[in-house]
Amino acid sequence: MLGNMQDGHLLISGLIEHAETYHTDSQIISRTVEGPIHRYTLKDAANRSRKLANALDKLGLKQGDVVGTLAWNTFRHFELYFGVSGIGCVVNTINPRLFPEQLTYIINHAENQYLFVDLSFVGLLESISHSLETVKGIIILTDKEHMPETTLQNVMCYEELIADESEEYHWPNFDENTASTLCYTSGTTGNPKGVLYSHRSTILHTWIVSSGNVAKISSSSVILPVVPMFHVNAWGIPYATAMFGAKLVLPGPLLDGASIFELIDQEKPDLLMGVPTVWLGLLQYLNETNQTLESVKTALVGGAAAPRAMIQEFEEKHNVFLMHGWGMTEMSPLGTATARTAEMDIMDVESRYDLQQRQGKTFYGVEMIITDDAGKELPKDGEAFGRLLVRGPTVVERYFKSNESALDKNGWFDTGDVAKIHPEGAMEIVDRSKDVIKSGGEWISSIDLENAAVGHPSVAEACVIGVLHKKWDERPLLLVVKVEDQDLSKEEMLVFLEDKVAKWWLPDDVIFVTELPHTATGKLLKTDLRDQYKEHLIK
Ligand code: ADP
């Protein structure tokens, strides 16, 4: 017997309609690419999204067409999130930090019809424009006054494009399983792979990310997402802002410590979101200038493991709870978070940091297990670790344009991460399956070693890779970037690690480097380093 309730579709246009009706005056503040800080309300954003929708219709875009963005976190990018998906087109947010060949691949593979591009990326687009196969025109996200000289063809100005359009627009109704957004993984090997979200998966994810055990978003929240809108939808925050009427502070192109702090100081966010490297920059700036964070209560940190030293520094110097989150493009992206619990408030602080270092519990809607290489489920005992598999309505079923499902026969998606699950349910990432070091048949976690190494005050950044070894197959090699003007020897580094990891985990060598390579999403890029140092221990 079916229930007797109404069958409305969960659509992204419904979010912006809700926002303009019930959160009319909630503010969106953006640092613009042109420089000045821009302010307006959710009502203004809704009006301009409808003007944009009319303009998109005039460009001849039809439901299912793909429209790309190469843009920072600003109010215009926010309008594109709603205007493009709202009319039934797909917004393909493209990560400008990718290599030019990867950008070309994505734009062609997604069959982008139009590209909306920030001033910062016009030069980048000029360099690849000759190889773009489907793009009919480029809209530069600025006003007439700031339009650049460019060799690009069929160029339009965003403000002029929407200026004379009507604010009236009737958002179409369609199936909630319709595609809304397309994001590509950064693809450290091979071509990037597209994950095509639906309106339904996006709305379900918005509820998840906003919920009480995650970001707790409401109309009293002031959120500063440094996590980019060009990578996994800034963890869903633009949608959550519309759903709950939060105040949104968008950092535009300036992500250094001083610029982020300027926004924090002026706009008083209580919630920060971003990858660890961004917070390293902010914390360093605060140390150098002797300042503290006053308004911030929570920093949601994910995308890479948050080191214990960072959890500690946020807490002890700034009274900020570091909520560790884990996820991936294939999961919309959020998979787990470490919610603060009543017990955490009364336990000793070191035990609390132990819990915060874990990636946390999943939420209703995402299932999670670990298995061995043969596919046998492993116990959730905090000891066993294996491949982390996930399942649920916000998890990918297949990659864009693939004929094959990305799932196993039981519907599980293999995340490519190796993890433990503790008896109380918290997941702890041990490593990426391709980064874990296989020494004499046992596994060593490169992440645990890196986290231990960055606990040394003279270490700015650390990277551990597995390199060939005659007896043990692979052994860990530690690469360290020192804090400027600090002295540190290999022996001191190893002594420091001795009581932090098992003896047989200690790196076989320590190499000091001036910088480490990162992927387009801020993660350590280990593939090249592995090639470079492969024979370091057997030479
Ligand atoms: P990419 O950068 O490859 O496009 P994602 O942002 O989707 O992609 O990266 C997802 C991966 O990032 C995860 O599978 C995991 O390895 C890593 N990751 C994300 N959050 C964390 C975290 N909190 N701790 C450790 N690793 C993390």
Side-chain angles (χ1 to χ4, degrees):
M1 190 182 353
L2 295 176
N4 295 147
M5 308 310 280
Q6 296 184 16
D7 193 18
H9 292 293
L10 303 174
L11 297 180
I12 288 172
S13 55
L15 289 178
I16 196 75
E17 278 183 324
H18 171 81
E20 69 177 317
T21 315
Y22 299 105
H23 306 297
T24 318
D25 296 330
S26 293
Q27 288 205 29
I28 299 180
I29 289 112
S30 320
R31 188 190 293 284
T32 59
V33 179
E34 296 88 345
I37 302 285
H38 175 275
R39 290 167 193 276
Y40 73 174
T41 63
L42 272 173
K43 175 73 183 161
D44 297 325
N47 287 343
R48 283 170 50 98
S49 301
R50 279 186 264 100
K51 283 163 88 80
L52 171 63
N54 280 312
L56 296 172
D57 278 354
K58 284 213 182 109
L59 289 175
L61 287 160
K62 301 273 174 300
Q63 284 197 10
D65 284 344
V66 181
V67 171
T69 64
L70 272 161
W72 298 108
N73 293 11
T74 71
F75 68 103
R76 295 190 183 108
H77 207 177
F78 184 91
E79 292 159 11
L80 284 156
Y81 266 48
F82 294 94
V84 176
S85 304
I87 67 168
C89 287
V90 176
V91 57
N92 173 207
T93 52
I94 306 167
N95 185 341
R97 294 185 183 133
L98 294 170
F99 297 122
E101 309 80 66
Q102 293 177 314
L103 292 176
T104 308
Y105 172 83
I106 291 172
I107 296 169
N108 290 337
H109 185 259
E111 297 178 45
N112 273 288
Q113 305 288 303
Y114 285 89
L115 294 175
F116 286 75
V117 182
D118 263 339
L119 284 166
S120 329
F121 308 121
V122 170
L124 180 63
L125 201 56
E126 283 173 345
S127 70
I128 58 167
S129 62
H130 58 281
S131 49
L132 304 183
E133 292 160 4
T134 54
V135 176
K136 296 179 187 147
I138 313 274
I139 296 99
I140 301 186
L141 291 164
T142 192
D143 51 22
K144 193 174 174 190
E145 195 190 330
H146 292 90
M147 278 299 279
E149 290 282 321
T150 173
T151 56
L152 292 168
Q153 303 292 305
N154 299 329
V155 172
M156 289 160 263
C157 163
Y158 183 80
E159 290 302 331
E160 287 197 293
L161 180 78
I162 66 168
D164 297 331
E165 296 298 340
S166 162
E167 286 182 1
E168 301 287 314
Y169 191 85
H170 183 69
W171 297 111
N173 192 25
F174 43 75
D175 190 315
E176 65 187 17
N177 290 302
T178 303
S180 63
T181 322
L182 177 60
C183 294
Y184 282 74
T185 62
S186 25
T188 38
T189 52
N191 280 325
K193 287 184 274 190
V195 181
L196 185 63
Y197 309 110
S198 66
H199 284 256
R200 172 185 156 81
S201 71
T202 303
I203 302 283
L204 295 179
H205 181 266
T206 306
W207 267 314
I208 287 178
V209 79
S210 311
S211 63
N213 281 342
V214 191
K216 285 197 181 75
I217 292 174
S218 73
S219 49
S220 67
S221 306
V222 183
I223 316 169
L224 194 162
V226 182
V227 48
M229 289 170 73
F230 57 67
H231 185 55
V232 284
N233 307 320
W235 301 348
I237 288 310
Y239 305 116
T241 301
M243 190 180 265
F244 294 100
K247 171 175 163 182
L248 185 63
V249 186
L250 298 172
L254 302 186
L255 308 182
D256 60 285
S259 307
I260 294 291
F261 184 68
E262 191 188 21
L263 279 181
I264 295 177
D265 199 33
Q266 283 170 15
E267 305 303 333
K268 316 270 182 264
D270 60 344
L271 175 62
L272 307 180
M273 290 178 153
V275 295
T277 35
V278 164
W279 307 126
L280 283 178
L282 175 69
L283 292 172
Q284 194 182 341
Y285 172 78
L286 294 172
N287 273 334
E288 283 163 10
T289 54
N290 227 343
Q291 303 190 78
T292 51
L293 298 170
E294 301 300 332
S295 61
V296 182
K297 296 195 180 74
T298 309
L300 181 50
V301 181
R308 190 182 189 93
M310 180 177 287
I311 298 174
Q312 208 169 346
E313 187 163 346
F314 263 122
E315 178 73 39
E316 293 172 13
K317 291 201 178 147
H318 304 286
N319 202 17
V320 170
F321 179 78
L322 187 149
M323 177 183 281
H324 206 170
W326 164 88
M328 59 198 314
T329 308
E330 290 87 339
M331 297 184 73
S332 299
L334 211 66
T336 62
T338 44
R340 189 169 191 135
T341 61
E343 294 88 77
M344 274 186 186
D345 284 337
I346 49 175
M347 67 178 48
D348 72 275
V349 72
E350 293 299 329
S351 310
R352 171 146 75 78
Y353 294 155
D354 289 344
L355 297 182
Q356 281 174 265
Q357 252 190 292
R358 294 175 188 167
Q359 278 69 11
K361 296 185 190 183
T362 194
F363 0 77
Y364 172 75
V366 179
E367 292 175 84
M368 191 171 271
I369 56 168
I370 46 172
T371 68
D372 63 15
D373 278 342
K376 186 167 129 314
E377 187 171 346
L378 296 171
K380 298 182 168 87
D381 60 5
E383 301 281 332
F385 55 88
R387 292 171 173 280
L388 179 63
L389 310 187
V390 294
R391 187 161 80 174
T394 56
V395 179
V396 71
E397 190 277 324
R398 68 186 58 211
Y399 289 103
F400 184 47
K401 290 189 173 172
S402 167
N403 295 324
E404 285 168 31
S405 173
L407 313 182
D408 70 12
K409 61 180 188 321
N410 297 317
W412 293 103
F413 175 76
D414 186 337
T415 61
D417 285 329
V418 174
K420 297 175 183 173
I421 302 181
H422 289 268
E424 83 287 3
M427 187 274 283
E428 182 179 350
I429 293 282
V430 173
D431 220 331
R432 292 291 292 164
S433 45
K434 58 185 189 312
D435 293 340
V436 80
I437 297 144
K438 292 178 177 137
S439 171
E442 300 284 342
W443 288 7
I444 297 173
S445 160
S446 66
I447 295 185
D448 280 1
L449 276 172
E450 285 158 8
N451 280 343
V454 292
H456 192 289
S458 303
V459 175
E461 201 178 9
C463 173
V464 173
I465 51 170
V467 295
L468 295 177
H469 189 277
K470 283 205 179 96
K471 181 165 176 206
W472 303 110
D473 296 335
E474 264 185 12
R475 287 295 300 159
L477 174 68
L478 170 60
L479 303 163
V480 170
V481 181
K482 281 189 270 196
V483 174
E484 223 178 316
D485 302 329
Q486 294 278 325
D487 261 347
L488 177 67
S489 68
K490 168 181 163 184
E491 290 68 34
E492 281 168 313
M493 185 76 253
L494 291 174
V495 169
F496 178 80
L497 292 175
E498 254 167 20
D499 60 346
K500 296 179 181 66
V501 297
K503 200 159 191 283
W504 64 276
W505 279 34
L506 283 177
D508 281 32
D509 200 2
V510 181
I511 297 178
F512 294 97
V513 292
T514 46
E515 59 176 354
L516 286 164
H518 293 93
T519 68
T521 52
K523 300 186 203 343
L524 284 167
L525 181 58
K526 298 191 180 181
T527 35
D528 291 355
L529 293 173
R530 270 197 289 264
D531 282 346
Q532 190 181 343
Y533 292 102
K534 194 163 58 189
E535 300 187 343
H536 181 76
L537 297 176
I538 54 173
K539 270 196 270 200

